[in-house]
Amino acid sequence: MPATTFQGLSPARAVVRPDIPHAVRGRFRSIKTVLAGLMLGFFFLAPWLRWERGPALPGQAILFDLPGRRLFVFGLEFWPQDLPIAVGLMIAGALALFFATTLAGRVWCGFACPQTVWSDLFFAADRLIARLVGKGALERRLRTAAWISIALATGVGFTAFFIDAPSLPGLLLSGRAPAIAYATVLVLTGTTWLLAAYARERVCLHMCPWPRFQAALLDRQSFVVTYQDWRGEPRGRKRDMLRPDLANPGRTPGLIALVADATAFSAPVRGDCIDCTRCVTVCPTGVDIRKGLQMGCIGCGLCIDACNEVMARLERPAGLIRFDVESAQAAPGFAPPRLDWLRPKALAFGLAALLAFGLSGYGMATLADVTAHADPQRNPPFVRLSDGSVRNDYALRLAHRRAELARVVIHAEGLDGAQLRLGTLDRPPTGALTVTVGAGRSLDERLLVLLPRDAAPHGRRDFTLVLTDPASGEELARVPSYFWGPES
Amino acid sequence: MAAPERDHLTGYNTTGHEWDGIKELTTPIPHWWVTVFLGSCFVALLYMWLFPSFATTTGVFRGQLGWTSRGQFAEEVAAGRAAQAEWRARLDQTPLEEIEANPDLRRFAIAGGRAAFNENCAPCHGVGAGGQIGQFPTLIDDDWLWGGQIAEIHQTVRFGIRSGHEETRDSLMPAFGDSLSAAEIEQVADYVLSFSDPQASEAASNAMPGAALFQQNCAACHGVRGEGSREFGAPKLNDAIWLYGGTRDAIKRQIAHPRMGMMPAFAAKLDDATIRMLAVYVHTLGGGER
């Protein structure tokens, strides 16, 4: 096997890593820049978007209203009981992450992970400052100032998701913001600064659990950053002769192997890698991808950009380092890389993710804006009143998300002669009970249902509580329940 | 031990351990990690020094801060009480009849009343205040021996029934097992049952043999038509609710050898704000009078 013959000929040499990875230009750098811009832009600007919801509700498009226990996302409003939707989205996100990893390695890590995006931001700031003022004490001071500014902006930006954004800076400065807001700003600023000043790639290497179990998801069909060692080895300087098999790649691989074996050791020859170590110095985690895929590789593709720059200068084809499936190495050639979609594992994760997204989307689309529960109180199962009538008690919980709903009428369907009243005893029992639903938009009351002595069932009788809006006559909710009467 | 071997790829020594041709390197742990570990050890020791941490031969090491979980609990209870102080004061100052008109105060009273009820009243009256037939009255029906308005419930909770407290509500049902014959008791029971029987006509029941006996012995407290009297805590006999059972046998037993329940006075055990909460809570259970 030619590929293995050439591998390992050049002894590993220690590559000195720079403090800050070197800048690079290229396709993946551009993708990363655009994505980082979009994500940072969303993070810092989203809380400032407005959304008109009416007088009693906040006008912020995205707001996590923790004191009110409500979550506003544009036109949607989530309550604590909608937690299954959030869980569904989390499951869908996890499955999508599994799918992406199975298909294309750590694309999440390299392009979308907040750690990557913020590290990128810090690297860019560091490089800019070094270019403006050069190395030295001033640079260190400016850098610290930049880190703390970004950290503070991050802290305030995060807090703005939880509190009215336009009034937040003023509240914070004047000391009138709630204590939890200050705590959030402080914690987020502190952790961001810690990540900026010390952690950065150490998070990816030592703290993040994801590289540990991505190994279970990756296989030889995953589309990951690979070094084409059949082509790169042996490494050598540019003035060494290029391996003959690489000089004219049009020939068949079998012939290449024969010629290569015959000529490899007669004179110093080299593959395409000139060991310039640029792929290592641009890597955010300092990985030498030429040693093969490893835990520290976050799949960001910057080494590909760096190597392609060098290959262009050498007038050699691009793609010595490229996204490819590892199994492609067994069949060397200049064929374009291929992405393996149609694998059971990738398809299973992809379909499961789609299913979870679909279910969560269905849940969101069908959020009921009026919910009602009536739990029969079983201790005691029924109460005998002095005139012989029988009463059942229910814990009635009613919640609605409608701004205009002021009153609700409740009646019992399928229970002839039933009289209803609330535990507050405000009004005498009536067949159709009118309930005022205050501005609190939820109601927790004791609902009493009375049946005359002769109408009371022996044992259980099922019926339905029907809630209607008296203003529009619309039926809001149907709550199946049961009435329990004396058995003898 | 074999001499350490240097790995030419990484530059680190091997430990000399080898499994299936794979050799273990002595790669050092990152510095920050060791620092954090040592820091954690220091914090652990600090904790042991500050807090109760280990047994000694003579007792328990108490820690420098003198902290105990019991003390913390007491502090939290006190803090909770302090946080409620304003509401409790408002509860004490608001007239009983007006508490329910104030939604916030009512909510506070119901929440506190439910907790106090489950702690103090549920052992007899049940968690849902359903009582127990033949033992303890139901508090959620519309029949009240001593009155079902908030003030009356408040009075009962404070001083109890036949509790021995000087302001307690007290009443006595004489035992007729000695003065009436078994046949007479049966006649009275039949007559009493006719009060709540919708089929029994007035004329027919007045002609019953028990009628005269009832007017003679029972009507003074229970009323001529068994309508009861709250002044004496005499139960209504003309409704569907029977504290000690509504069967003929149960009524006969109650005439011959009456049982009379006892409820303790809570004035000494609970503060007035809590008793007010209880009164409001019981009143909202569905049977309270307005």
Side-chain angles (χ1 to χ4, degrees), chain B residues 91-101 150-155 158 272 275-277 279-280:
Chain B
L91 206 60
D92 277 337
Q93 285 150 18
T94 312
L96 281 167
E97 296 74 28
E98 290 168 27
I99 293 175
E100 288 198 346
I150 293 192
E152 292 162 337
I153 299 171
H154 182 244
Q155 170 88 0
R158 274 173 86 192
D272 195 47
I275 293 178
R276 280 165 171 255
M277 289 185 194
V280 173

mmCIF file with all atom_site columns, all heavy atoms in Angstrom, chain B residues 91-101 150-155 158 272 275-277 279-280:
data_model
loop_
_atom_site.group_PDB
_atom_site.id
_atom_site.type_symbol
_atom_site.label_atom_id
_atom_site.label_alt_id
_atom_site.label_comp_id
_atom_site.label_asym_id
_atom_site.label_entity_id
_atom_site.label_seq_id
_atom_site.pdbx_PDB_ins_code
_atom_site.Cartn_x
_atom_site.Cartn_y
_atom_site.Cartn_z
_atom_site.occupancy
_atom_site.B_iso_or_equiv
_atom_site.pdbx_formal_charge
_atom_site.auth_seq_id
_atom_site.auth_comp_id
_atom_site.auth_asym_id
_atom_site.auth_atom_id
_atom_site.pdbx_PDB_model_num
ATOM 1   N N   . LEU B 1 91  ? -54.506 40.807 58.780 1.00 0.00 ? 91  LEU B N   1
ATOM 2   C CA  . LEU B 1 91  ? -55.531 39.814 59.079 1.00 0.00 ? 91  LEU B CA  1
ATOM 3   C C   . LEU B 1 91  ? -56.128 40.072 60.457 1.00 0.00 ? 91  LEU B C   1
ATOM 4   O O   . LEU B 1 91  ? -57.341 39.978 60.668 1.00 0.00 ? 91  LEU B O   1
ATOM 5   C CB  . LEU B 1 91  ? -54.907 38.423 59.013 1.00 0.00 ? 91  LEU B CB  1
ATOM 6   C CG  . LEU B 1 91  ? -55.811 37.247 58.700 1.00 0.00 ? 91  LEU B CG  1
ATOM 7   C CD1 . LEU B 1 91  ? -56.450 37.441 57.343 1.00 0.00 ? 91  LEU B CD1 1
ATOM 8   C CD2 . LEU B 1 91  ? -55.003 35.969 58.703 1.00 0.00 ? 91  LEU B CD2 1
ATOM 9   N N   . ASP B 1 92  ? -55.251 40.408 61.415 1.00 0.00 ? 92  ASP B N   1
ATOM 10  C CA  . ASP B 1 92  ? -55.725 40.652 62.781 1.00 0.00 ? 92  ASP B CA  1
ATOM 11  C C   . ASP B 1 92  ? -56.594 41.899 62.849 1.00 0.00 ? 92  ASP B C   1
ATOM 12  O O   . ASP B 1 92  ? -57.517 41.966 63.662 1.00 0.00 ? 92  ASP B O   1
ATOM 13  C CB  . ASP B 1 92  ? -54.523 40.812 63.732 1.00 0.00 ? 92  ASP B CB  1
ATOM 14  C CG  . ASP B 1 92  ? -54.000 39.461 64.180 1.00 0.00 ? 92  ASP B CG  1
ATOM 15  O OD1 . ASP B 1 92  ? -54.801 38.503 64.133 1.00 0.00 ? 92  ASP B OD1 1
ATOM 16  O OD2 . ASP B 1 92  ? -52.827 39.371 64.558 1.00 0.00 ? 92  ASP B OD2 1
ATOM 17  N N   . GLN B 1 93  ? -56.283 42.889 61.993 1.00 0.00 ? 93  GLN B N   1
ATOM 18  C CA  . GLN B 1 93  ? -57.000 44.164 62.106 1.00 0.00 ? 93  GLN B CA  1
ATOM 19  C C   . GLN B 1 93  ? -58.282 44.203 61.275 1.00 0.00 ? 93  GLN B C   1
ATOM 20  O O   . GLN B 1 93  ? -59.170 44.998 61.551 1.00 0.00 ? 93  GLN B O   1
ATOM 21  C CB  . GLN B 1 93  ? -56.075 45.305 61.664 1.00 0.00 ? 93  GLN B CB  1
ATOM 22  C CG  . GLN B 1 93  ? -55.015 45.611 62.718 1.00 0.00 ? 93  GLN B CG  1
ATOM 23  C CD  . GLN B 1 93  ? -53.738 46.126 62.109 1.00 0.00 ? 93  GLN B CD  1
ATOM 24  O OE1 . GLN B 1 93  ? -53.744 46.557 60.963 1.00 0.00 ? 93  GLN B OE1 1
ATOM 25  N NE2 . GLN B 1 93  ? -52.649 46.079 62.871 1.00 0.00 ? 93  GLN B NE2 1
ATOM 26  N N   . THR B 1 94  ? -58.375 43.336 60.272 1.00 0.00 ? 94  THR B N   1
ATOM 27  C CA  . THR B 1 94  ? -59.569 43.369 59.427 1.00 0.00 ? 94  THR B CA  1
ATOM 28  C C   . THR B 1 94  ? -60.715 42.643 60.126 1.00 0.00 ? 94  THR B C   1
ATOM 29  O O   . THR B 1 94  ? -60.513 41.540 60.637 1.00 0.00 ? 94  THR B O   1
ATOM 30  C CB  . THR B 1 94  ? -59.277 42.683 58.096 1.00 0.00 ? 94  THR B CB  1
ATOM 31  O OG1 . THR B 1 94  ? -58.051 43.187 57.580 1.00 0.00 ? 94  THR B OG1 1
ATOM 32  C CG2 . THR B 1 94  ? -60.393 42.922 57.105 1.00 0.00 ? 94  THR B CG2 1
ATOM 33  N N   . PRO B 1 95  ? -61.903 43.245 60.158 1.00 0.00 ? 95  PRO B N   1
ATOM 34  C CA  . PRO B 1 95  ? -63.043 42.534 60.740 1.00 0.00 ? 95  PRO B CA  1
ATOM 35  C C   . PRO B 1 95  ? -63.281 41.223 59.999 1.00 0.00 ? 95  PRO B C   1
ATOM 36  O O   . PRO B 1 95  ? -63.122 41.168 58.773 1.00 0.00 ? 95  PRO B O   1
ATOM 37  C CB  . PRO B 1 95  ? -64.206 43.508 60.539 1.00 0.00 ? 95  PRO B CB  1
ATOM 38  C CG  . PRO B 1 95  ? -63.577 44.836 60.365 1.00 0.00 ? 95  PRO B CG  1
ATOM 39  C CD  . PRO B 1 95  ? -62.238 44.614 59.773 1.00 0.00 ? 95  PRO B CD  1
ATOM 40  N N   . LEU B 1 96  ? -63.654 40.189 60.743 1.00 0.00 ? 96  LEU B N   1
ATOM 41  C CA  . LEU B 1 96  ? -63.764 38.843 60.165 1.00 0.00 ? 96  LEU B CA  1
ATOM 42  C C   . LEU B 1 96  ? -64.645 38.815 58.920 1.00 0.00 ? 96  LEU B C   1
ATOM 43  O O   . LEU B 1 96  ? -64.339 38.122 57.954 1.00 0.00 ? 96  LEU B O   1
ATOM 44  C CB  . LEU B 1 96  ? -64.340 37.889 61.208 1.00 0.00 ? 96  LEU B CB  1
ATOM 45  C CG  . LEU B 1 96  ? -63.345 37.400 62.258 1.00 0.00 ? 96  LEU B CG  1
ATOM 46  C CD1 . LEU B 1 96  ? -64.069 36.740 63.417 1.00 0.00 ? 96  LEU B CD1 1
ATOM 47  C CD2 . LEU B 1 96  ? -62.366 36.435 61.627 1.00 0.00 ? 96  LEU B CD2 1
ATOM 48  N N   . GLU B 1 97  ? -65.732 39.579 58.948 1.00 0.00 ? 97  GLU B N   1
ATOM 49  C CA  . GLU B 1 97  ? -66.683 39.516 57.837 1.00 0.00 ? 97  GLU B CA  1
ATOM 50  C C   . GLU B 1 97  ? -66.100 40.132 56.571 1.00 0.00 ? 97  GLU B C   1
ATOM 51  O O   . GLU B 1 97  ? -66.581 39.875 55.469 1.00 0.00 ? 97  GLU B O   1
ATOM 52  C CB  . GLU B 1 97  ? -67.991 40.250 58.183 1.00 0.00 ? 97  GLU B CB  1
ATOM 53  C CG  . GLU B 1 97  ? -68.752 39.634 59.337 1.00 0.00 ? 97  GLU B CG  1
ATOM 54  C CD  . GLU B 1 97  ? -68.090 39.906 60.686 1.00 0.00 ? 97  GLU B CD  1
ATOM 55  O OE1 . GLU B 1 97  ? -67.413 40.948 60.819 1.00 0.00 ? 97  GLU B OE1 1
ATOM 56  O OE2 . GLU B 1 97  ? -68.213 39.060 61.590 1.00 0.00 ? 97  GLU B OE2 1
ATOM 57  N N   . GLU B 1 98  ? -65.055 40.979 56.716 1.00 0.00 ? 98  GLU B N   1
ATOM 58  C CA  . GLU B 1 98  ? -64.546 41.695 55.540 1.00 0.00 ? 98  GLU B CA  1
ATOM 59  C C   . GLU B 1 98  ? -63.336 41.028 54.896 1.00 0.00 ? 98  GLU B C   1
ATOM 60  O O   . GLU B 1 98  ? -62.865 41.456 53.856 1.00 0.00 ? 98  GLU B O   1
ATOM 61  C CB  . GLU B 1 98  ? -64.191 43.135 55.935 1.00 0.00 ? 98  GLU B CB  1
ATOM 62  C CG  . GLU B 1 98  ? -65.421 43.963 56.229 1.00 0.00 ? 98  GLU B CG  1
ATOM 63  C CD  . GLU B 1 98  ? -65.070 45.282 56.889 1.00 0.00 ? 98  GLU B CD  1
ATOM 64  O OE1 . GLU B 1 98  ? -63.961 45.783 56.662 1.00 0.00 ? 98  GLU B OE1 1
ATOM 65  O OE2 . GLU B 1 98  ? -65.921 45.789 57.653 1.00 0.00 ? 98  GLU B OE2 1
ATOM 66  N N   . ILE B 1 99  ? -62.844 39.977 55.541 1.00 0.00 ? 99  ILE B N   1
ATOM 67  C CA  . ILE B 1 99  ? -61.620 39.360 55.021 1.00 0.00 ? 99  ILE B CA  1
ATOM 68  C C   . ILE B 1 99  ? -61.842 38.805 53.619 1.00 0.00 ? 99  ILE B C   1
ATOM 69  O O   . ILE B 1 99  ? -61.024 38.980 52.718 1.00 0.00 ? 99  ILE B O   1
ATOM 70  C CB  . ILE B 1 99  ? -61.150 38.236 55.968 1.00 0.00 ? 99  ILE B CB  1
ATOM 71  C CG1 . ILE B 1 99  ? -60.697 38.852 57.288 1.00 0.00 ? 99  ILE B CG1 1
ATOM 72  C CG2 . ILE B 1 99  ? -60.018 37.429 55.338 1.00 0.00 ? 99  ILE B CG2 1
ATOM 73  C CD1 . ILE B 1 99  ? -60.322 37.853 58.339 1.00 0.00 ? 99  ILE B CD1 1
ATOM 74  N N   . GLU B 1 100 ? -62.993 38.157 53.425 1.00 0.00 ? 100 GLU B N   1
ATOM 75  C CA  . GLU B 1 100 ? -63.212 37.487 52.147 1.00 0.00 ? 100 GLU B CA  1
ATOM 76  C C   . GLU B 1 100 ? -63.420 38.459 50.998 1.00 0.00 ? 100 GLU B C   1
ATOM 77  O O   . GLU B 1 100 ? -63.281 38.088 49.838 1.00 0.00 ? 100 GLU B O   1
ATOM 78  C CB  . GLU B 1 100 ? -64.407 36.539 52.246 1.00 0.00 ? 100 GLU B CB  1
ATOM 79  C CG  . GLU B 1 100 ? -64.078 35.322 53.079 1.00 0.00 ? 100 GLU B CG  1
ATOM 80  C CD  . GLU B 1 100 ? -65.053 34.188 52.855 1.00 0.00 ? 100 GLU B CD  1
ATOM 81  O OE1 . GLU B 1 100 ? -66.117 34.441 52.272 1.00 0.00 ? 100 GLU B OE1 1
ATOM 82  O OE2 . GLU B 1 100 ? -64.742 33.076 53.266 1.00 0.00 ? 100 GLU B OE2 1
ATOM 83  N N   . ALA B 1 101 ? -63.737 39.721 51.338 1.00 0.00 ? 101 ALA B N   1
ATOM 84  C CA  . ALA B 1 101 ? -63.976 40.689 50.271 1.00 0.00 ? 101 ALA B CA  1
ATOM 85  C C   . ALA B 1 101 ? -62.661 41.175 49.671 1.00 0.00 ? 101 ALA B C   1
ATOM 86  O O   . ALA B 1 101 ? -62.640 41.737 48.582 1.00 0.00 ? 101 ALA B O   1
ATOM 87  C CB  . ALA B 1 101 ? -64.773 41.876 50.811 1.00 0.00 ? 101 ALA B CB  1
ATOM 88  N N   . ILE B 1 150 ? -68.240 33.141 59.477 1.00 0.00 ? 150 ILE B N   1
ATOM 89  C CA  . ILE B 1 150 ? -66.819 33.166 59.839 1.00 0.00 ? 150 ILE B CA  1
ATOM 90  C C   . ILE B 1 150 ? -66.647 33.416 61.330 1.00 0.00 ? 150 ILE B C   1
ATOM 91  O O   . ILE B 1 150 ? -65.868 32.734 62.012 1.00 0.00 ? 150 ILE B O   1
ATOM 92  C CB  . ILE B 1 150 ? -66.060 34.240 59.034 1.00 0.00 ? 150 ILE B CB  1
ATOM 93  C CG1 . ILE B 1 150 ? -66.040 33.853 57.558 1.00 0.00 ? 150 ILE B CG1 1
ATOM 94  C CG2 . ILE B 1 150 ? -64.641 34.364 59.543 1.00 0.00 ? 150 ILE B CG2 1
ATOM 95  C CD1 . ILE B 1 150 ? -65.080 34.673 56.744 1.00 0.00 ? 150 ILE B CD1 1
ATOM 96  N N   . ALA B 1 151 ? -67.413 34.362 61.871 1.00 0.00 ? 151 ALA B N   1
ATOM 97  C CA  . ALA B 1 151 ? -67.249 34.705 63.288 1.00 0.00 ? 151 ALA B CA  1
ATOM 98  C C   . ALA B 1 151 ? -67.594 33.507 64.168 1.00 0.00 ? 151 ALA B C   1
ATOM 99  O O   . ALA B 1 151 ? -66.932 33.251 65.182 1.00 0.00 ? 151 ALA B O   1
ATOM 100 C CB  . ALA B 1 151 ? -68.126 35.902 63.629 1.00 0.00 ? 151 ALA B CB  1
ATOM 101 N N   . GLU B 1 152 ? -68.624 32.754 63.749 1.00 0.00 ? 152 GLU B N   1
ATOM 102 C CA  . GLU B 1 152 ? -69.039 31.605 64.571 1.00 0.00 ? 152 GLU B CA  1
ATOM 103 C C   . GLU B 1 152 ? -68.028 30.468 64.483 1.00 0.00 ? 152 GLU B C   1
ATOM 104 O O   . GLU B 1 152 ? -67.724 29.800 65.478 1.00 0.00 ? 152 GLU B O   1
ATOM 105 C CB  . GLU B 1 152 ? -70.427 31.145 64.105 1.00 0.00 ? 152 GLU B CB  1
ATOM 106 C CG  . GLU B 1 152 ? -71.499 32.167 64.435 1.00 0.00 ? 152 GLU B CG  1
ATOM 107 C CD  . GLU B 1 152 ? -72.777 31.982 63.642 1.00 0.00 ? 152 GLU B CD  1
ATOM 108 O OE1 . GLU B 1 152 ? -72.748 31.374 62.549 1.00 0.00 ? 152 GLU B OE1 1
ATOM 109 O OE2 . GLU B 1 152 ? -73.817 32.471 64.098 1.00 0.00 ? 152 GLU B OE2 1
ATOM 110 N N   . ILE B 1 153 ? -67.502 30.272 63.279 1.00 0.00 ? 153 ILE B N   1
ATOM 111 C CA  . ILE B 1 153 ? -66.455 29.252 63.129 1.00 0.00 ? 153 ILE B CA  1
ATOM 112 C C   . ILE B 1 153 ? -65.226 29.653 63.951 1.00 0.00 ? 153 ILE B C   1
ATOM 113 O O   . ILE B 1 153 ? -64.624 28.839 64.659 1.00 0.00 ? 153 ILE B O   1
ATOM 114 C CB  . ILE B 1 153 ? -66.080 29.079 61.641 1.00 0.00 ? 153 ILE B CB  1
ATOM 115 C CG1 . ILE B 1 153 ? -67.295 28.613 60.844 1.00 0.00 ? 153 ILE B CG1 1
ATOM 116 C CG2 . ILE B 1 153 ? -64.945 28.098 61.479 1.00 0.00 ? 153 ILE B CG2 1
ATOM 117 C CD1 . ILE B 1 153 ? -67.093 28.625 59.337 1.00 0.00 ? 153 ILE B CD1 1
ATOM 118 N N   . HIS B 1 154 ? -64.892 30.918 63.867 1.00 0.00 ? 154 HIS B N   1
ATOM 119 C CA  . HIS B 1 154 ? -63.755 31.459 64.621 1.00 0.00 ? 154 HIS B CA  1
ATOM 120 C C   . HIS B 1 154 ? -63.922 31.180 66.110 1.00 0.00 ? 154 HIS B C   1
ATOM 121 O O   . HIS B 1 154 ? -62.994 30.699 66.781 1.00 0.00 ? 154 HIS B O   1
ATOM 122 C CB  . HIS B 1 154 ? -63.691 32.967 64.344 1.00 0.00 ? 154 HIS B CB  1
ATOM 123 C CG  . HIS B 1 154 ? -62.550 33.656 65.016 1.00 0.00 ? 154 HIS B CG  1
ATOM 124 N ND1 . HIS B 1 154 ? -62.737 34.609 65.979 1.00 0.00 ? 154 HIS B ND1 1
ATOM 125 C CD2 . HIS B 1 154 ? -61.216 33.515 64.867 1.00 0.00 ? 154 HIS B CD2 1
ATOM 126 C CE1 . HIS B 1 154 ? -61.566 35.041 66.393 1.00 0.00 ? 154 HIS B CE1 1
ATOM 127 N NE2 . HIS B 1 154 ? -60.624 34.398 65.729 1.00 0.00 ? 154 HIS B NE2 1
ATOM 128 N N   . GLN B 1 155 ? -65.121 31.457 66.610 1.00 0.00 ? 155 GLN B N   1
ATOM 129 C CA  . GLN B 1 155 ? -65.439 31.227 68.026 1.00 0.00 ? 155 GLN B CA  1
ATOM 130 C C   . GLN B 1 155 ? -65.236 29.751 68.391 1.00 0.00 ? 155 GLN B C   1
ATOM 131 O O   . GLN B 1 155 ? -64.619 29.416 69.398 1.00 0.00 ? 155 GLN B O   1
ATOM 132 C CB  . GLN B 1 155 ? -66.894 31.656 68.252 1.00 0.00 ? 155 GLN B CB  1
ATOM 133 C CG  . GLN B 1 155 ? -67.485 31.296 69.579 1.00 0.00 ? 155 GLN B CG  1
ATOM 134 C CD  . GLN B 1 155 ? -67.214 32.383 70.604 1.00 0.00 ? 155 GLN B CD  1
ATOM 135 O OE1 . GLN B 1 155 ? -66.584 33.388 70.288 1.00 0.00 ? 155 GLN B OE1 1
ATOM 136 N NE2 . GLN B 1 155 ? -67.654 32.162 71.837 1.00 0.00 ? 155 GLN B NE2 1
ATOM 137 N N   . ARG B 1 158 ? -61.571 28.731 68.437 1.00 0.00 ? 158 ARG B N   1
ATOM 138 C CA  . ARG B 1 158 ? -60.825 29.282 69.573 1.00 0.00 ? 158 ARG B CA  1
ATOM 139 C C   . ARG B 1 158 ? -61.092 28.523 70.861 1.00 0.00 ? 158 ARG B C   1
ATOM 140 O O   . ARG B 1 158 ? -60.170 28.149 71.577 1.00 0.00 ? 158 ARG B O   1
ATOM 141 C CB  . ARG B 1 158 ? -61.199 30.756 69.783 1.00 0.00 ? 158 ARG B CB  1
ATOM 142 C CG  . ARG B 1 158 ? -60.391 31.704 68.945 1.00 0.00 ? 158 ARG B CG  1
ATOM 143 C CD  . ARG B 1 158 ? -60.916 33.088 69.086 1.00 0.00 ? 158 ARG B CD  1
ATOM 144 N NE  . ARG B 1 158 ? -60.362 33.782 70.234 1.00 0.00 ? 158 ARG B NE  1
ATOM 145 C CZ  . ARG B 1 158 ? -60.843 34.935 70.699 1.00 0.00 ? 158 ARG B CZ  1
ATOM 146 N NH1 . ARG B 1 158 ? -61.890 35.472 70.117 1.00 0.00 ? 158 ARG B NH1 1
ATOM 147 N NH2 . ARG B 1 158 ? -60.288 35.520 71.716 1.00 0.00 ? 158 ARG B NH2 1
ATOM 148 N N   . ASP B 1 272 ? -53.975 34.185 67.146 1.00 0.00 ? 272 ASP B N   1
ATOM 149 C CA  . ASP B 1 272 ? -55.292 34.546 66.627 1.00 0.00 ? 272 ASP B CA  1
ATOM 150 C C   . ASP B 1 272 ? -55.283 34.657 65.107 1.00 0.00 ? 272 ASP B C   1
ATOM 151 O O   . ASP B 1 272 ? -56.266 34.318 64.453 1.00 0.00 ? 272 ASP B O   1
ATOM 152 C CB  . ASP B 1 272 ? -55.785 35.847 67.255 1.00 0.00 ? 272 ASP B CB  1
ATOM 153 C CG  . ASP B 1 272 ? -57.278 36.035 66.997 1.00 0.00 ? 272 ASP B CG  1
ATOM 154 O OD1 . ASP B 1 272 ? -58.031 35.053 67.206 1.00 0.00 ? 272 ASP B OD1 1
ATOM 155 O OD2 . ASP B 1 272 ? -57.671 37.124 66.557 1.00 0.00 ? 272 ASP B OD2 1
ATOM 156 N N   . ILE B 1 275 ? -55.860 31.290 63.735 1.00 0.00 ? 275 ILE B N   1
ATOM 157 C CA  . ILE B 1 275 ? -57.245 30.861 63.942 1.00 0.00 ? 275 ILE B CA  1
ATOM 158 C C   . ILE B 1 275 ? -58.159 31.572 62.946 1.00 0.00 ? 275 ILE B C   1
ATOM 159 O O   . ILE B 1 275 ? -59.087 30.977 62.399 1.00 0.00 ? 275 ILE B O   1
ATOM 160 C CB  . ILE B 1 275 ? -57.669 31.122 65.404 1.00 0.00 ? 275 ILE B CB  1
ATOM 161 C CG1 . ILE B 1 275 ? -56.854 30.205 66.317 1.00 0.00 ? 275 ILE B CG1 1
ATOM 162 C CG2 . ILE B 1 275 ? -59.147 30.868 65.590 1.00 0.00 ? 275 ILE B CG2 1
ATOM 163 C CD1 . ILE B 1 275 ? -57.130 30.388 67.784 1.00 0.00 ? 275 ILE B CD1 1
ATOM 164 N N   . ARG B 1 276 ? -57.849 32.843 62.672 1.00 0.00 ? 276 ARG B N   1
ATOM 165 C CA  . ARG B 1 276 ? -58.639 33.561 61.671 1.00 0.00 ? 276 ARG B CA  1
ATOM 166 C C   . ARG B 1 276 ? -58.476 32.925 60.296 1.00 0.00 ? 276 ARG B C   1
ATOM 167 O O   . ARG B 1 276 ? -59.434 32.787 59.536 1.00 0.00 ? 276 ARG B O   1
ATOM 168 C CB  . ARG B 1 276 ? -58.195 35.028 61.612 1.00 0.00 ? 276 ARG B CB  1
ATOM 169 C CG  . ARG B 1 276 ? -58.803 35.858 62.719 1.00 0.00 ? 276 ARG B CG  1
ATOM 170 C CD  . ARG B 1 276 ? -58.091 37.181 62.871 1.00 0.00 ? 276 ARG B CD  1
ATOM 171 N NE  . ARG B 1 276 ? -58.851 38.017 63.800 1.00 0.00 ? 276 ARG B NE  1
ATOM 172 C CZ  . ARG B 1 276 ? -59.610 39.038 63.434 1.00 0.00 ? 276 ARG B CZ  1
ATOM 173 N NH1 . ARG B 1 276 ? -59.682 39.386 62.173 1.00 0.00 ? 276 ARG B NH1 1
ATOM 174 N NH2 . ARG B 1 276 ? -60.277 39.727 64.326 1.00 0.00 ? 276 ARG B NH2 1
ATOM 175 N N   . MET B 1 277 ? -57.229 32.541 59.987 1.00 0.00 ? 277 MET B N   1
ATOM 176 C CA  . MET B 1 277 ? -56.999 31.854 58.709 1.00 0.00 ? 277 MET B CA  1
ATOM 177 C C   . MET B 1 277 ? -57.831 30.589 58.633 1.00 0.00 ? 277 MET B C   1
ATOM 178 O O   . MET B 1 277 ? -58.449 30.292 57.601 1.00 0.00 ? 277 MET B O   1
ATOM 179 C CB  . MET B 1 277 ? -55.519 31.464 58.573 1.00 0.00 ? 277 MET B CB  1
ATOM 180 C CG  . MET B 1 277 ? -54.565 32.593 58.342 1.00 0.00 ? 277 MET B CG  1
ATOM 181 S SD  . MET B 1 277 ? -52.939 31.856 58.065 1.00 0.00 ? 277 MET B SD  1
ATOM 182 C CE  . MET B 1 277 ? -51.913 33.268 58.243 1.00 0.00 ? 277 MET B CE  1
ATOM 183 N N   . ALA B 1 279 ? -60.590 29.900 60.169 1.00 0.00 ? 279 ALA B N   1
ATOM 184 C CA  . ALA B 1 279 ? -62.012 30.221 60.031 1.00 0.00 ? 279 ALA B CA  1
ATOM 185 C C   . ALA B 1 279 ? -62.335 30.568 58.580 1.00 0.00 ? 279 ALA B C   1
ATOM 186 O O   . ALA B 1 279 ? -63.330 30.091 58.022 1.00 0.00 ? 279 ALA B O   1
ATOM 187 C CB  . ALA B 1 279 ? -62.374 31.376 60.958 1.00 0.00 ? 279 ALA B CB  1
ATOM 188 N N   . VAL B 1 280 ? -61.454 31.370 57.944 1.00 0.00 ? 280 VAL B N   1
ATOM 189 C CA  . VAL B 1 280 ? -61.699 31.752 56.549 1.00 0.00 ? 280 VAL B CA  1
ATOM 190 C C   . VAL B 1 280 ? -61.625 30.529 55.650 1.00 0.00 ? 280 VAL B C   1
ATOM 191 O O   . VAL B 1 280 ? -62.473 30.310 54.779 1.00 0.00 ? 280 VAL B O   1
ATOM 192 C CB  . VAL B 1 280 ? -60.685 32.823 56.097 1.00 0.00 ? 280 VAL B CB  1
ATOM 193 C CG1 . VAL B 1 280 ? -60.825 33.092 54.605 1.00 0.00 ? 280 VAL B CG1 1
ATOM 194 C CG2 . VAL B 1 280 ? -60.870 34.092 56.891 1.00 0.00 ? 280 VAL B CG2 1
#
